[in-house]
C-alpha cells in the first residue's frame, strides 16, 4: 500500500504564486501516477490537520491552487477524491510515537521523509527547489539506543521519493507488487460474483465493463469467483503498461488470451455501453472448464471492456 508522505520542508520555499501552483500541479500528477497503479492502496499523508488546510508555501494555501484559472479541473477533483489521512500521526501503528528516532536532510529535520522510510512509503515533494528533483533521497537517521557507551546511532538510509510523474516510473514495479498482493488477498476473500462485481472499480480501475456484464457476474458459481478475479487482475496488469503504438494489435498478455474462431464469432455479439451491439471476440479461459470471459479492446483508451463472464458460449 503506497502511503505518500508529503515532505513538509518542500512547502517552506517562498516563490511567486504561479510558480507554486505549477509545482503543485506537477506534484499532484506524481501522486495520481501512483494512484493509477494502486488506487485502492494509495493515500496522501500531510503534516497539516487535513489536505484542505495545507499551506503549499508561506502565505499560499492549497485553496489558491484549487481555485486558480490554470488548475486542471480533473486533477483537482481526482486529488480531492484521494484518500487523505493527515496529519502524519494518523497512520502510526497503535501505541507507536517514533519518539526514539529522527531524520535529517541537509542538516534539517524532515519528518515526512522520515516517516516515509519508517513506514515503507514514498516521500512526495513540491518541486520548488532542485534538491527535491530526484526519485530517491538519502537521509541521516538518528536512533536512541539502550547502550551505556552511546546515546544514539546515526545511519544513512535511502527513501523512495517523487516530485514529478517521471520519478514514479522508477518505483512502478514495487508499487505493482504491493497492489497485486493486496488485490490477491481481496479476491481470495470473495465468495460471490456479486461481491466481485461490487469490488471491480477499486480492484481493477483500468478495466471497463458493459452494463449487462453485471448480470453475468451475479450468477457466477462460487468456484469461479476467485479464478475470474485472478484473470481480471492479469488483464488489468496487461493494459496498465500497454502502448498501442508499440503493440498495435493487443497488449502483452499475462496468460492465454486470444480471439474467437471465425465460425464462433456469431456468438460473441453483446450490447455495448451505448446500447449498440458489438463484437467481443477477445477472450480468456478460467478453471474449472468451461469458463470464459469475453471482451473487446479499446485502443484509443488503452484498455478493454468486458461484456461476458460465465460458461463457454454455446455450452449448456
Amino acid at each position: 500500500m503506497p502511503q505518500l508522505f508529503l515532505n513538509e520542508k518542500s512547502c517552506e520555499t517562498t516563490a511567486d504564486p504561479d510558480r507554486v501552483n505549477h509545482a503543485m500541479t506537477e506534484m499532484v500528477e506524481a501522486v495520481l501516477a501512483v494512484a493509477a497503479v494502486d488506487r485502492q492502496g494509495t493515500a496522501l499523508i500531510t503534516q497539516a490537520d487535513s489536505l484542505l488546510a495545507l499551506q503549499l508555501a508561506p502565505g499560499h494555501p492549497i485553496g489558491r491552487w484549487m481555485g486558480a484559472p490554470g488548475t486542471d479541473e480533473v486533477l483537482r477533483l481526482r486529488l480531492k477524491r484521494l484518500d487523505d489521512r493527515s496529519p502524519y500521526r494518523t497512520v502510526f501503528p497503535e501505541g507507536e510515537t517514533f519518539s526514539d528516532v529522527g531524520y535529517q536532510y541537509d542538516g534539517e529535520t524532515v519528518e515526512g521523509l522520515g516517516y516515509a522510510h519508517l513506514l515503507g512509503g514514498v516521500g512526495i515533494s513540491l518541486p520548488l527547489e532542485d534538491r527535491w528533483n530526484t526519485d530517491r533521497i538519502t537521509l541521516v537517521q538518528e536512533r536512541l539506543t539502550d547502550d551505556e557507551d552511546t546515546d544514539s546511532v546515526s545511519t544513512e538510509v535511502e527513501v523512495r521519493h517523487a516530485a514529478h510523474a517521471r520519478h514514479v516510473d522508477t518505483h512502478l514495479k514495487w508499487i505493482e507488487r504491493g497492489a497485486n498482493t493486496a488485490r490477491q488477498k481481496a479476491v481470495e476473500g470473495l465468495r460471490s460474483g456479486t461481491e466481485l462485481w461490487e469490488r471491480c472499480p477499486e480492484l481493477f480501475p483500468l478495466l471497463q465493463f458493459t452494463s449487462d456484464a453485471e448480470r453475468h457476474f451475479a450468477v457466477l458459481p462460487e468456484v469461479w469467483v476467485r479464478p475470474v478475479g485472478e484473470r481480471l487482475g492479469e488483464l488489468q496488469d496487461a493494459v496498465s503498461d500497454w502502448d498501442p503504438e508499440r503493440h498495435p494489435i493487443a497488449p502483452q498478455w499475462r496468460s492465454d488470451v486470444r480471439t474467437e474462431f471465425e465460425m464462433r464469432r456469431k456468438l460473441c455479439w453483446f450490447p455495448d455501453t451505448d446500447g449498440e451491439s458489438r463484437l467481443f471476440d477477445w477472450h480468456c479461459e478460467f478453471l474449472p472448464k468451461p469458463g470464459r470471459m469475453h471482451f473487446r479492446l479499446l485502443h484509443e483508451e488503452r484498455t478493454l471492456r468486458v461484456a461476458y463472464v460465465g460458461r463457454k458460449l454455446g455450452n449448456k
Side-chain angles (χ1 to χ4, degrees):
M1 185 173 79
Q3 293 182 329
L4 310 180
F5 290 84
L6 178 64
N7 169 22
E8 75 284 355
K9 288 299 178 183
S10 72
C11 298
E12 297 178 1
T13 303
T14 300
D16 66 81
D18 287 344
R19 188 160 164 252
V20 174
N21 286 338
H22 180 70
M24 179 60 178
T25 294
E26 290 189 312
M27 190 190 77
V28 171
E29 289 174 344
V31 171
L32 296 179
V34 176
V37 182
D38 186 5
R39 187 170 70 180
Q40 180 187 11
T42 301
L44 178 62
I45 302 104
T46 73
Q47 76 276 21
D49 288 336
S50 72
L51 182 62
L52 296 179
L54 181 66
Q55 292 281 325
L56 304 180
H60 195 117
I62 192 173
R64 290 185 68 179
W65 171 80
M66 289 185 169
T71 298
D72 186 289
E73 180 72 8
V74 174
L75 285 183
R76 184 178 67 80
L77 291 175
R78 289 175 65 191
L79 179 66
K80 289 182 70 175
R81 290 173 185 157
L82 195 67
D83 194 4
D84 168 23
R85 303 181 190 174
S86 302
Y88 298 141
R89 64 178 179 273
T90 60
V91 298
F92 292 176
E94 186 175 356
E96 181 60 80
T97 63
F98 297 117
S99 59
D100 62 339
V101 61
Y103 291 82
Q104 289 194 334
Y105 179 73
D106 281 351
E108 298 179 298
T109 298
V110 282
E111 291 188 338
L113 295 178
Y115 294 138
H117 178 262
L118 281 171
L119 297 171
V122 178
I124 293 287
S125 296
L126 283 170
L128 286 170
E129 297 182 54
D130 289 342
R131 60 177 175 163
W132 310 130
N133 187 21
T134 179
D135 58 15
R136 283 178 173 79
I137 289 181
T138 300
L139 309 176
V140 176
Q141 179 197 71
E142 186 168 2
R143 185 181 291 274
L144 300 179
T145 70
D146 296 327
D147 196 317
E148 295 181 356
D149 297 326
T150 180
D151 293 330
S152 63
V153 175
S154 294
T155 310
E156 285 194 348
V157 298
E158 190 176 74
V159 62
R160 294 181 180 88
H161 180 265
H164 301 275
R166 63 178 178 271
H167 294 149
V168 177
D169 292 343
T170 63
H171 309 310
L172 284 180
K173 294 299 181 184
W174 172 77
I175 298 169
E176 287 173 354
R177 284 196 299 271
N180 290 344
T181 299
R183 184 179 66 202
Q184 184 63 28
K185 289 181 178 178
V187 168
E188 289 175 357
L190 301 177
R191 293 293 176 265
S192 72
T194 298
E195 289 181 339
L196 177 57
W197 172 260
E198 291 173 348
R199 298 291 300 276
C200 278
E202 70 179 75
L203 297 178
F204 319 107
L206 300 183
L207 303 184
Q208 297 183 16
F209 301 83
T210 66
S211 299
D212 275 5
E214 180 177 5
R215 63 184 179 89
H216 300 301
F217 276 83
V219 295
L220 273 181
E222 182 177 343
V223 69
W224 273 348
V225 173
R226 178 175 174 179
V228 168
E230 291 172 348
R231 289 295 172 270
L232 288 171
E234 291 168 353
L235 296 177
Q236 161 92 7
D237 292 342
V239 300
S240 69
D241 59 6
W242 181 26
D243 181 353
E245 291 188 2
R246 293 179 55 204
H247 302 283
I249 297 177
Q252 293 182 292
W253 304 114
R254 270 50 170 186
S255 58
D256 184 20
V257 176
R258 58 192 184 278
T259 55
E260 192 60 271
F261 293 117
E262 182 69 34
M263 59 190 303
R264 287 182 47 80
R265 288 182 182 173
K266 62 183 179 182
L267 302 172
C268 306
W269 289 81
F270 295 93
D272 209 336
T273 52
D274 60 1
E276 293 291 326
S277 182
R278 291 191 174 91
L279 181 63
F280 290 77
D281 64 331
W282 282 94
H283 68 278
C284 59
E285 299 180 357
F286 48 87
L287 298 174
K289 289 187 175 182
R292 289 282 181 93
M293 187 185 314
H294 281 263
F295 54 89
R296 73 183 190 90
L297 296 178
L298 306 174
H299 289 74
E300 292 185 357
E301 300 180 54
R302 296 174 57 178
T303 188
L304 58 84
R305 184 174 295 145
V306 177
Y308 174 82
V309 56
R311 292 182 65 83
K312 179 179 178 180
L313 296 170
N315 280 30
K316 298 182 178 180

